[in-house]
Amino acid sequence: MSKIDEVLAIAKKYVDEGYKEGANNHTIFGHFRAQNQPWCASFVSYCFEKAGRLQLVAQMPRGFINCNDGLKWFAQKGRLVPIGQAQRGDIVFMNFDADPTTAEHVGIVYVPQHDKKQLVTFEGNTAANNAGAQANGDGCYKKTRPYGKIIAVARPDWNNP
């Protein structure tokens, strides 16, 4: 199994089981990170950590917990790629208020659908449907995100041991 498939399998497990947060944003992903806070970045970091690939997304000993900090780390490492080049396993940063300067949500690319100008992602702390809170929802879901909601795509250095 490839490194990318390992990370995606972990994320998919939580999506498939319909993982939901507890009261006040309490999750297994917040353990040793930022409990009782928005947890989309903790979900991404957790998936990489459980696959033994935390160094690919880490800016702190346990990964990143803030979307903007994660985006900044990837930018400093020169790991941003154009949206139209997104691949499986890339990290996608989003904003639902059309503010291209602020990353308010993050997920992992599962299936790029460039012909439709969208990405299918695995995400934590989002809503099941598009009527709910997309950047601070209640669980782990597979989502389809149009390019217009994506502010950046980061490519982990999969060649990093």
Side-chain angles (χ1 to χ4, degrees):
M1 181 180 287
S2 76
K3 295 174 187 179
I4 295 170
D5 289 335
E6 290 172 8
V7 170
L8 289 172
I10 292 164
K12 186 176 187 305
K13 170 188 177 292
Y14 291 101
V15 168
D16 287 350
E17 73 182 29
Y19 182 86
K20 302 269 194 202
E21 67 185 23
N24 192 29
N25 276 341
H26 189 85
T27 70
I28 62 169
F29 313 112
H31 188 60
F32 296 118
R33 286 181 178 79
Q35 197 59 271
N36 306 110
Q37 301 293 321
W39 50 275
C40 57
S42 292
F43 170 74
V44 170
S45 293
Y46 180 94
C47 292
F48 276 79
E49 179 184 40
K50 290 300 178 186
R53 307 288 178 226
L54 186 60
Q55 75 279 10
L56 302 181
V57 297
Q59 65 187 31
M60 298 170 37
R62 301 290 297 209
F64 68 101
I65 59 172
N66 176 285
C67 295
N68 282 313
D69 290 344
L71 178 55
K72 182 178 177 183
W73 184 83
F74 279 110
Q76 289 173 341
K77 299 286 185 188
R79 303 304 306 171
L80 300 183
V81 298
I83 295 169
Q85 294 178 17
Q87 299 175 359
R88 287 171 41 91
D90 284 348
I91 309 300
V92 59
F93 294 90
M94 296 161 266
N95 185 290
F96 302 104
D97 299 325
D99 179 355
T101 63
T102 303
E104 67 175 343
H105 190 63
V106 65
I108 306 169
V109 176
Y110 179 50
V111 178
Q113 295 179 333
H114 297 302
D115 58 324
K116 298 177 182 177
K117 298 205 179 304
Q118 62 189 22
L119 303 174
V120 177
T121 59
F122 291 139
E123 302 171 21
N125 199 37
T126 193
N129 60 46
N130 290 336
Q134 296 303 294
N136 190 10
D138 67 351
C140 295
Y141 299 98
K142 181 170 78 170
K143 304 294 290 188
T144 301
R145 301 299 190 185
Y147 282 9
K149 300 294 181 187
I150 299 167
I151 64 167
V153 175
R155 172 129 336 119
D157 183 1
W158 295 107
N159 294 320
N160 188 333

